[in-house]
Structures are given as C-alpha cells and as structure tokens.
C-alpha cells in the first residue's frame, strides 16, 4: 500500500458516454493503490460514474473535469462541469416506491455509498460534485 | 469492458431469457434498452429472466432501463427476474429499493 501523500490527479474528459469507463478504470487503479478494499472500490467506481453521467446528461457542455485528491484520510473526488447548471432543489430524494425510468437515482446513489458528498450548482454556472471515501474504515 | 447480451425466448416455458456480461453504464445502456424493449414488446405477457451472474457493474442508467421494461410488463402482471447478481450489483439494487420492485434470485457470493 502506498503512503498517501496528498497527490492530485486531474482529468479533462469529453462529455461523451464512451469515456466514462476510462474514468472508472482510472479511479479503480487509484483506489487500489491507496489500499481500499474491494467493496469500497466498487462504491467509489459507482459514485464517480454517476457523477460523470450526471455531467454528460445534464450539463450540455462539451467537457467536464475530474480531480482526484489522495489525502491521508481517504480519497476525495470532484466532478466539475461548466454547463448549464440547475436549481439546487433538484436534489430532492427520489420516490423509491415508484422509481422513474428517466433517472433521479444518480445523486441518491452517490450520497448512499460515499462518506461525504457536497453539490454546488447554479443555473448557468455549471455543477460541482465533491465526494469523499474514508480510507480508515476500508482497512 | 464492454457489454455482451444474449437473448432467447423459451417457447416451452413461455419465458424470455437474457444473459448480461460486462458493464452497463451510460454508454452501453442504449443496447440493453433496445433488447429489453424488443423482448417486452414481442412478449408483453411473459416474464423476463435476466442472468446477472456475469454482470460486473450497473449504474442508475442501466437501472432506469430495467424500470422502463418493467413498466411495459406490469399491466400484464408480468415481472422481471434478476438471477444471481454479484454482490456489488445486489448492493445497488438494495440501496435503490429495487430489490423490492424486481424479483431477485440467488444467494450472496463469497468474494475476496
């Protein structure tokens, strides 16, 4: 296992669905190197994919950025787009007894599997999703 | 990893079968949607059994496709059965409460 050293990795990705698995493979390698267990690695891959899918589906921008911060306490990931943004009340909890085909589960899934999540978005100013998975609990 | 879908209709058992392999995400879910729509429209009065034993990953995009297919079958009191999902797939089904909407079969896997 490596010694977390506050390293940062940044990726700039086209808003195209075929590249989400590239981001997923990248975070899998980073999380493995940091010493996360298999279940936590799956959680991180899922949450990040949801963040990327959110940017591709809703930003209407041409690219988005992903930043990985390998901190002593865990892995912090930011997904940022410069797209149309949205009103912050979109984060309302989905009705799990009557799921919708068109989505609404993505943010809910991110919040369910990550330890800390924050979302900032405003119309016309893009969206930033920050998520963190603690490393200590994974050992 | 890409996704592979095998589909066949069992005339004898009157059940539609699908086997998923690989990863279902925002890129691959359109193919899953096309195959499921075809199955559910060709045989709207039959259950669909999906073998998930070789499915490594699914996210909300793929789950939305499954929900859409179920809404086609439900008026005929038919259902979608998810067979032997891996633990990570089972977990996302549980988080989203979809393990109460779909029929999930198979035991938890022993994984390292």
């Amino acid at each position: 296992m490596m010694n977390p050293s506050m390293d940062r990795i940044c990726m700039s990705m086209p808003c195209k669905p075929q590249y989400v698995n590239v981001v997923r493979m990248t975070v899998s390698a980073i999380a493995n190197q940091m010493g996360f267990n298999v279940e936590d690695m799956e959680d991180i891959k899922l949450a990040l994919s949801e963040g990327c899918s959110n940017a591709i589906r809703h930003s209407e921008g041409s690219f988005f950025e992903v930043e990985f911060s390998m901190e002593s306490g865990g892995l912090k990931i930011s997904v940022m787009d410069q797209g149309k943004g949205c009103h912050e009340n979109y984060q309302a909890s989905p009705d799990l007894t009557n799921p919708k085909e068109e989505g609404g589960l993505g943010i809910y899934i991110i919040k369910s599997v990550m330890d800390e999540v924050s979302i900032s978005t405003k119309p016309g100013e893009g969206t930033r999703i920050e998520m963190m998975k603690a490393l200590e609990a994974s050992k | 990893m890409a996704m592979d879908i095998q589909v066949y209709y069992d005339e004898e058992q009157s059940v539609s079968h699908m086997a998923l392999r690989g990863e279902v995400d925002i890129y691959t879910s359109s193919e899953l949607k096309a195959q499921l729509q075809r199955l559910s429209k060709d045989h709207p009065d039959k259950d669909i059994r999906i073998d998930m034993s070789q499915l490594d990953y699914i996210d909300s995009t793929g789950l939305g496709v499954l929900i859409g297919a179920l809404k086609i079958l439900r008026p005929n009191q038919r259902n979608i059965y998810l067979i032997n999902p891996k633990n990570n797939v089972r977990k996302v089904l549980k988080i989203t409460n979809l393990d109460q909407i779909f029929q999930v079969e198979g035991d938890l896997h022993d994984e390292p």
Side-chain angles (χ1 to χ4, degrees), chain B residues 10 13 15 22 43 51-52 59 61 65 72 79 81 98:
Chain B
D10 185 335
Q13 301 291 327
V15 175
H43 308 285
D51 179 356
M52 291 190 157
D59 64 15
T61 317
V65 170
I72 296 175
N79 210 330
Y81 292 76
L98 292 177

PDB file of all heavy atoms in Angstrom, chain B residues 10 13 15 22 43 51-52 59 61 65 72 79 81 98:
ATOM      1  N   ASP B  10     -37.891 -18.798 -24.649  1.00  0.00           N
ATOM      2  CA  ASP B  10     -38.125 -20.216 -24.401  1.00  0.00           C
ATOM      3  C   ASP B  10     -39.603 -20.514 -24.661  1.00  0.00           C
ATOM      4  O   ASP B  10     -40.468 -20.205 -23.838  1.00  0.00           O
ATOM      5  CB  ASP B  10     -37.743 -20.534 -22.946  1.00  0.00           C
ATOM      6  CG  ASP B  10     -37.850 -22.024 -22.643  1.00  0.00           C
ATOM      7  OD1 ASP B  10     -38.618 -22.717 -23.327  1.00  0.00           O
ATOM      8  OD2 ASP B  10     -37.150 -22.473 -21.718  1.00  0.00           O
ATOM      9  N   GLN B  13     -41.241 -23.004 -22.000  1.00  0.00           N
ATOM     10  CA  GLN B  13     -41.519 -22.441 -20.683  1.00  0.00           C
ATOM     11  C   GLN B  13     -42.261 -21.106 -20.764  1.00  0.00           C
ATOM     12  O   GLN B  13     -42.681 -20.574 -19.738  1.00  0.00           O
ATOM     13  CB  GLN B  13     -40.195 -22.224 -19.924  1.00  0.00           C
ATOM     14  CG  GLN B  13     -39.366 -23.484 -19.717  1.00  0.00           C
ATOM     15  CD  GLN B  13     -40.012 -24.450 -18.751  1.00  0.00           C
ATOM     16  OE1 GLN B  13     -40.683 -24.055 -17.823  1.00  0.00           O
ATOM     17  NE2 GLN B  13     -39.837 -25.741 -19.008  1.00  0.00           N
ATOM     18  N   VAL B  15     -41.081 -18.144 -21.387  1.00  0.00           N
ATOM     19  CA  VAL B  15     -40.313 -17.150 -20.633  1.00  0.00           C
ATOM     20  C   VAL B  15     -39.240 -16.563 -21.549  1.00  0.00           C
ATOM     21  O   VAL B  15     -38.633 -17.276 -22.342  1.00  0.00           O
ATOM     22  CB  VAL B  15     -39.626 -17.794 -19.401  1.00  0.00           C
ATOM     23  CG1 VAL B  15     -38.729 -16.774 -18.694  1.00  0.00           C
ATOM     24  CG2 VAL B  15     -40.654 -18.339 -18.430  1.00  0.00           C
ATOM     25  N   GLY B  22     -20.456  -8.170 -18.459  1.00  0.00           N
ATOM     26  CA  GLY B  22     -19.676  -6.934 -18.576  1.00  0.00           C
ATOM     27  C   GLY B  22     -20.252  -5.808 -17.746  1.00  0.00           C
ATOM     28  O   GLY B  22     -20.633  -6.003 -16.600  1.00  0.00           O
ATOM     29  N   HIS B  43     -43.131  -9.993 -26.418  1.00  0.00           N
ATOM     30  CA  HIS B  43     -43.745 -10.960 -25.496  1.00  0.00           C
ATOM     31  C   HIS B  43     -44.202 -10.246 -24.228  1.00  0.00           C
ATOM     32  O   HIS B  43     -43.723 -10.529 -23.128  1.00  0.00           O
ATOM     33  CB  HIS B  43     -42.742 -12.069 -25.143  1.00  0.00           C
ATOM     34  CG  HIS B  43     -42.106 -12.715 -26.319  1.00  0.00           C
ATOM     35  ND1 HIS B  43     -42.767 -13.628 -27.129  1.00  0.00           N
ATOM     36  CD2 HIS B  43     -40.869 -12.584 -26.850  1.00  0.00           C
ATOM     37  CE1 HIS B  43     -41.962 -14.028 -28.095  1.00  0.00           C
ATOM     38  NE2 HIS B  43     -40.791 -13.408 -27.952  1.00  0.00           N
ATOM     39  N   ASP B  51     -30.105 -13.276 -16.447  1.00  0.00           N
ATOM     40  CA  ASP B  51     -28.957 -13.865 -15.764  1.00  0.00           C
ATOM     41  C   ASP B  51     -27.903 -12.775 -15.562  1.00  0.00           C
ATOM     42  O   ASP B  51     -27.317 -12.262 -16.523  1.00  0.00           O
ATOM     43  CB  ASP B  51     -28.396 -15.016 -16.606  1.00  0.00           C
ATOM     44  CG  ASP B  51     -27.176 -15.660 -15.968  1.00  0.00           C
ATOM     45  OD1 ASP B  51     -26.710 -15.170 -14.919  1.00  0.00           O
ATOM     46  OD2 ASP B  51     -26.680 -16.656 -16.526  1.00  0.00           O
ATOM     47  N   MET B  52     -27.670 -12.408 -14.292  1.00  0.00           N
ATOM     48  CA  MET B  52     -26.702 -11.339 -13.979  1.00  0.00           C
ATOM     49  C   MET B  52     -25.408 -11.883 -13.388  1.00  0.00           C
ATOM     50  O   MET B  52     -24.600 -11.115 -12.871  1.00  0.00           O
ATOM     51  CB  MET B  52     -27.329 -10.336 -13.000  1.00  0.00           C
ATOM     52  CG  MET B  52     -28.442  -9.507 -13.602  1.00  0.00           C
ATOM     53  SD  MET B  52     -28.932  -8.166 -12.481  1.00  0.00           S
ATOM     54  CE  MET B  52     -29.662  -7.014 -13.657  1.00  0.00           C
ATOM     55  N   ASP B  59     -25.154   0.860 -13.255  1.00  0.00           N
ATOM     56  CA  ASP B  59     -25.395   2.113 -12.541  1.00  0.00           C
ATOM     57  C   ASP B  59     -26.832   2.559 -12.774  1.00  0.00           C
ATOM     58  O   ASP B  59     -27.652   1.801 -13.302  1.00  0.00           O
ATOM     59  CB  ASP B  59     -24.363   3.173 -12.927  1.00  0.00           C
ATOM     60  CG  ASP B  59     -24.458   3.572 -14.397  1.00  0.00           C
ATOM     61  OD1 ASP B  59     -25.475   3.251 -15.051  1.00  0.00           O
ATOM     62  OD2 ASP B  59     -23.508   4.199 -14.889  1.00  0.00           O
ATOM     63  N   THR B  61     -28.199   4.461 -14.840  1.00  0.00           N
ATOM     64  CA  THR B  61     -28.665   4.476 -16.223  1.00  0.00           C
ATOM     65  C   THR B  61     -29.233   3.099 -16.602  1.00  0.00           C
ATOM     66  O   THR B  61     -30.302   2.994 -17.199  1.00  0.00           O
ATOM     67  CB  THR B  61     -27.511   4.833 -17.180  1.00  0.00           C
ATOM     68  OG1 THR B  61     -26.762   5.904 -16.631  1.00  0.00           O
ATOM     69  CG2 THR B  61     -28.044   5.218 -18.533  1.00  0.00           C
ATOM     70  N   VAL B  65     -33.242   1.642 -17.337  1.00  0.00           N
ATOM     71  CA  VAL B  65     -33.671   0.815 -18.465  1.00  0.00           C
ATOM     72  C   VAL B  65     -34.503  -0.371 -17.971  1.00  0.00           C
ATOM     73  O   VAL B  65     -35.548  -0.708 -18.553  1.00  0.00           O
ATOM     74  CB  VAL B  65     -32.440   0.322 -19.259  1.00  0.00           C
ATOM     75  CG1 VAL B  65     -32.846  -0.726 -20.276  1.00  0.00           C
ATOM     76  CG2 VAL B  65     -31.751   1.496 -19.946  1.00  0.00           C
ATOM     77  N   ILE B  72     -43.539  -1.801 -18.965  1.00  0.00           N
ATOM     78  CA  ILE B  72     -44.246  -2.379 -20.111  1.00  0.00           C
ATOM     79  C   ILE B  72     -44.909  -3.694 -19.707  1.00  0.00           C
ATOM     80  O   ILE B  72     -46.023  -4.015 -20.147  1.00  0.00           O
ATOM     81  CB  ILE B  72     -43.262  -2.606 -21.285  1.00  0.00           C
ATOM     82  CG1 ILE B  72     -42.702  -1.268 -21.768  1.00  0.00           C
ATOM     83  CG2 ILE B  72     -43.947  -3.348 -22.433  1.00  0.00           C
ATOM     84  CD1 ILE B  72     -41.629  -1.391 -22.845  1.00  0.00           C
ATOM     85  N   ASN B  79     -43.335  -9.920 -14.663  1.00  0.00           N
ATOM     86  CA  ASN B  79     -42.262  -9.337 -13.865  1.00  0.00           C
ATOM     87  C   ASN B  79     -40.907  -9.594 -14.529  1.00  0.00           C
ATOM     88  O   ASN B  79     -40.810 -10.354 -15.494  1.00  0.00           O
ATOM     89  CB  ASN B  79     -42.261  -9.930 -12.456  1.00  0.00           C
ATOM     90  CG  ASN B  79     -41.742  -8.932 -11.414  1.00  0.00           C
ATOM     91  OD1 ASN B  79     -40.905  -8.078 -11.732  1.00  0.00           O
ATOM     92  ND2 ASN B  79     -42.238  -9.041 -10.207  1.00  0.00           N
ATOM     93  N   TYR B  81     -37.136 -10.953 -13.523  1.00  0.00           N
ATOM     94  CA  TYR B  81     -36.381 -11.685 -12.508  1.00  0.00           C
ATOM     95  C   TYR B  81     -34.896 -11.440 -12.735  1.00  0.00           C
ATOM     96  O   TYR B  81     -34.399 -11.602 -13.852  1.00  0.00           O
ATOM     97  CB  TYR B  81     -36.686 -13.190 -12.588  1.00  0.00           C
ATOM     98  CG  TYR B  81     -38.096 -13.537 -12.190  1.00  0.00           C
ATOM     99  CD1 TYR B  81     -39.171 -13.291 -13.056  1.00  0.00           C
ATOM    100  CD2 TYR B  81     -38.375 -14.092 -10.947  1.00  0.00           C
ATOM    101  CE1 TYR B  81     -40.468 -13.590 -12.685  1.00  0.00           C
ATOM    102  CE2 TYR B  81     -39.682 -14.405 -10.570  1.00  0.00           C
ATOM    103  CZ  TYR B  81     -40.722 -14.145 -11.438  1.00  0.00           C
ATOM    104  OH  TYR B  81     -42.009 -14.432 -11.064  1.00  0.00           O
ATOM    105  N   LEU B  98     -34.777  -1.276  -5.335  1.00  0.00           N
ATOM    106  CA  LEU B  98     -35.260  -2.026  -6.499  1.00  0.00           C
ATOM    107  C   LEU B  98     -35.281  -3.529  -6.231  1.00  0.00           C
ATOM    108  O   LEU B  98     -35.897  -4.283  -6.992  1.00  0.00           O
ATOM    109  CB  LEU B  98     -34.400  -1.712  -7.726  1.00  0.00           C
ATOM    110  CG  LEU B  98     -34.546  -0.274  -8.243  1.00  0.00           C
ATOM    111  CD1 LEU B  98     -33.612  -0.017  -9.417  1.00  0.00           C
ATOM    112  CD2 LEU B  98     -35.991   0.017  -8.655  1.00  0.00           C
TER     113      LEU B  98
END
